[in-house]
């Protein structure tokens, strides 16, 4: 079977869906791997490395995708790439199904069997396939470095002959995978860290990293987490209490990292214009949710802006800003997803549509949309 790795077509996307390491393992599983020339360039993975691993290099999406049985991608295919895929092909990628429900109809019409890696259920045996965790982990790390770059002061406390330098005060809003890594990174850089989340269960994780935890104590907060471990949409009353607590706290911070996302919904606004005004000049906000509408009222997608003396970072696709390691981890996620689907005796795909992971990620099958959240009007 032919497994294709095309170049990513999305603007600013530097990651690639396979590494030389995973190519070797895919070949061992019995696949013929074809990589589009330059697919790994943004991740510093040259064509020669793929050739050494046993892959064939092809030029152009048409040659790479022609007759491919399986296609690995980072982001959704563009119309041109989709047009080159044969009926019956299997597409595995981050397809943004909760925000792009219409795409599933296109995959179904093209006869593609599509799997959305963002929907991998958070169960023990799927941890190695969890692309949201692997990519968010790197994004949380990079977010602190990006904020530190814009911050015109030191992060750690320093004692010098000329006097002491106070440590930076960092406030992390949203304690998922990205938030936890942001806390750990800021602590390693010597900052004093405070974190908040609507989920009380995150308190222990925050404190284990040496940070202090802040949240609105209420009955609603005890039910703020879905069965899948994600934050729920909170009531207007809770949001008002949260805003009051943050407004009191944020004025004292030097750096704010916001990471709050709700799957399938716009990101909640956590930092208002008035809160930005309350921060001292030279402070920094890094909004990791900017592509989903933003946690900060003044953040702008793809831009670094200064408002009221506060630098607000709105970089999109932050994991792609560390494309080398992001690609290596993502490639392993896809390998871990595919390996159990390969029959060890015949080398053919054997997809169990009753399996929890397959049910969770499968968007289309046999010309139909099979995932309820991906049907038009339900996302």
């Amino acid at each position: 079977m032919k497994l294709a790795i095309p170049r990513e077509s999305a603007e600013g996307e530097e990651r690639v869906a396979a590494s030389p390491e995973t190519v070797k393992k895919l070949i061992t599983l019995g696949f013929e791997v074809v990589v589009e020339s330059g697919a790994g360039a943004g991740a510093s993975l040259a064509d020669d490395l793929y050739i050494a691993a046993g892959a064939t290099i092809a030029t152009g999406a048409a040659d790479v995708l022609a007759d491919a049985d399986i296609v690995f991608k980072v982001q959704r295919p563009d119309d041109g790439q989709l047009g080159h895929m044969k009926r019956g092909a299997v597409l595995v990628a981050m397809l943004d199904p909760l925000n792009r429900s219409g795409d599933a109809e296109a995959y179904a019409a093209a006869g593609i069997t599509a799997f959305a890696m963002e929907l991998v259920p958070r169960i023990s045996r799927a941890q190695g396939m969890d692309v949201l965790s692997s990519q968010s982990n790197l994004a949380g790390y990079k977010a602190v470095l990006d904020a530190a770059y814009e911050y015109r002061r030191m992060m750690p406390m320093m004692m010098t002959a000329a006097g002491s330098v106070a440590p930076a005060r960092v406030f992390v809003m949203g304690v998922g995978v990205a938030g936890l890594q942001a806390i750990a990174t800021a602590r390693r850089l010597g900052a004093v860290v405070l974190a908040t989340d609507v989920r009380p269960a995150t308190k222990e994780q925050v404190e284990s990293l040496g940070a202090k935890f802040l949240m609105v104590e209420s009955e609603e907060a005890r039910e703020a987490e879905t069965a899948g471990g994600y934050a729920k949409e909170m009531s207007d009353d809770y949001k008002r209490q949260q805003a009051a607590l943050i407004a009191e706290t944020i004025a004292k911070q030097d750096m704010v990292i916001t990471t709050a996302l709700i799957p399938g919904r716009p990101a909640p606004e956590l930092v208002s214009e008035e809160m930005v005004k309350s921060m001292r000049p030279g402070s920094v906000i890094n909004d990791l949710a900017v592509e989903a509408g933003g946690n900060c009222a003044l953040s702008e997608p793809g831009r670094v802006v200064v408002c009221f003396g506060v630098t607000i970072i709105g970089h999109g696709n932050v994991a792609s800003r560390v494309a080398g390691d992001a690609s290596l981890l993502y490639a392993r996620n896809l390998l871990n997803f595919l390996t159990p689907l390969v029959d060890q005796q015949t080398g053919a795909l054997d997809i169990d549509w009753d399996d929890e992971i397959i049910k969770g990620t499968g968007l289309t099958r046999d010309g139909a949309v099979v995932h309820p959240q991906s049907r038009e009007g339900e996302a």
Side-chain angles (χ1 to χ4, degrees), residues 274-350:
E274 288 302 314
M275 293 178 191
V276 175
K277 288 180 180 179
S278 75
M279 299 179 71
R280 73 175 185 174
S283 300
V284 177
I285 298 171
N286 194 346
D287 189 349
L288 284 185
V290 68
E291 290 177 296
N295 295 143
C296 177
L298 300 178
S299 59
E300 298 183 25
R303 296 191 62 201
V304 177
V305 297
V306 178
C307 299
F308 309 110
V310 177
T311 301
I312 304 174
I313 303 169
H315 294 314
N317 195 2
V318 177
S320 183
R321 292 170 60 78
V322 282
D325 284 324
S327 296
L328 297 182
L329 295 181
Y330 182 76
R332 291 172 194 157
N333 291 146
L334 297 195
L335 174 68
N336 292 337
F337 177 81
L338 182 64
T339 299
L341 309 184
V342 179
D343 186 292
Q344 298 299 312
Q345 301 297 322
T346 66
L349 282 185
D350 183 16

Side-chain angles (χ1 to χ4, degrees), residues 198-199 215-216 218-225 231-239 242 262:
V198 298
R199 298 164 296 173
M215 73 168 293
V216 174
S218 73
E219 188 65 33
E220 182 181 2
R222 296 185 179 91
E223 305 295 330
E225 189 170 354
K232 289 182 179 178
E233 180 81 28
M234 305 301 283
S235 69
D236 289 341
D237 182 59
Y238 185 94
K239 290 176 182 177
Q242 183 186 42
I262 300 171

Side-chain angles (χ1 to χ4, degrees), residues 45-357:
L45 297 171
D47 290 349
D48 288 348
L49 296 176
Y50 288 104
I51 293 171
T56 300
I57 300 296
T59 302
D63 290 340
V64 174
L65 294 169
D67 300 321
D69 300 289
I70 300 172
V71 177
F72 276 1
K73 286 194 90 278
V74 178
Q75 295 198 42
R76 53 185 289 277
D78 61 29
D79 292 342
Q81 291 171 330
L82 186 61
H84 291 307
M85 293 173 62
K86 72 177 184 180
R87 297 190 71 84
V90 173
L91 170 66
V92 184
M94 292 189 287
L95 300 174
D96 196 17
L98 300 183
N99 296 311
R100 301 189 62 91
S101 57
D103 285 2
E105 298 288 348
Y107 304 144
I112 304 299
T113 299
F115 293 96
M117 292 302 292
E118 304 99 317
L119 300 181
V120 168
R122 287 189 161 171
I123 57 177
S124 296
R125 65 188 176 91
Q127 288 180 353
M129 312 172 193
D130 190 345
V131 298
L132 292 183
S133 291
S134 73
Q135 302 304 290
S136 294
N137 196 22
L138 296 175
Y141 166 81
K142 183 61 172 172
V144 175
L145 297 190
D146 285 340
Y149 174 80
E150 299 293 344
Y151 186 55
R152 296 298 184 247
R153 296 172 181 268
M154 298 295 294
M155 291 285 283
M157 180 177 71
M158 297 185 68
M159 307 290 289
T160 76
S164 301
V165 174
R169 291 162 295 185
V170 176
F171 187 25
V172 178
M173 305 179 71
V175 189
V177 174
L180 288 170
Q181 184 57 246
I183 291 168
T185 303
R187 287 283 297 151
R188 284 196 293 269
L189 291 175
V192 174
V193 184
L194 177 68
T196 186
D197 197 285
V198 298
R199 298 164 296 173
T202 60
K203 178 180 180 181
E204 184 177 342
Q205 296 171 304
V206 168
E207 293 178 342
S208 72
L209 293 172
K212 292 184 178 180
F213 187 70
L214 177 76
M215 73 168 293
V216 174
E217 300 287 350
S218 73
E219 188 65 33
E220 182 181 2
R222 296 185 179 91
E223 305 295 330
E225 189 170 354
T226 68
Y230 298 101
K232 289 182 179 178
E233 180 81 28
M234 305 301 283
S235 69
D236 289 341
D237 182 59
Y238 185 94
K239 290 176 182 177
R240 282 191 292 270
Q241 295 180 59
Q242 183 186 42
L245 181 62
I246 291 171
E248 179 184 343
T249 304
I250 204 167
K252 305 171 187 175
Q253 308 304 313
D254 300 306
M255 193 178 296
V256 177
I257 312 290
T258 69
T259 73
L261 291 167
I262 300 171
R265 294 177 179 271
E269 183 182 304
L270 302 179
V271 183
S272 67
E273 181 175 330
E274 288 302 314
M275 293 178 191
V276 175
K277 288 180 180 179
S278 75
M279 299 179 71
R280 73 175 185 174
S283 300
V284 177
I285 298 171
N286 194 346
D287 189 349
L288 284 185
V290 68
E291 290 177 296
N295 295 143
C296 177
L298 300 178
S299 59
E300 298 183 25
R303 296 191 62 201
V304 177
V305 297
V306 178
C307 299
F308 309 110
V310 177
T311 301
I312 304 174
I313 303 169
H315 294 314
N317 195 2
V318 177
S320 183
R321 292 170 60 78
V322 282
D325 284 324
S327 296
L328 297 182
L329 295 181
Y330 182 76
R332 291 172 194 157
N333 291 146
L334 297 195
L335 174 68
N336 292 337
F337 177 81
L338 182 64
T339 299
L341 309 184
V342 179
D343 186 292
Q344 298 299 312
Q345 301 297 322
T346 66
L349 282 185
D350 183 16
I351 302 174
D352 179 5
W353 287 93
D354 291 322
D355 182 86
E356 184 177 1
I357 296 172

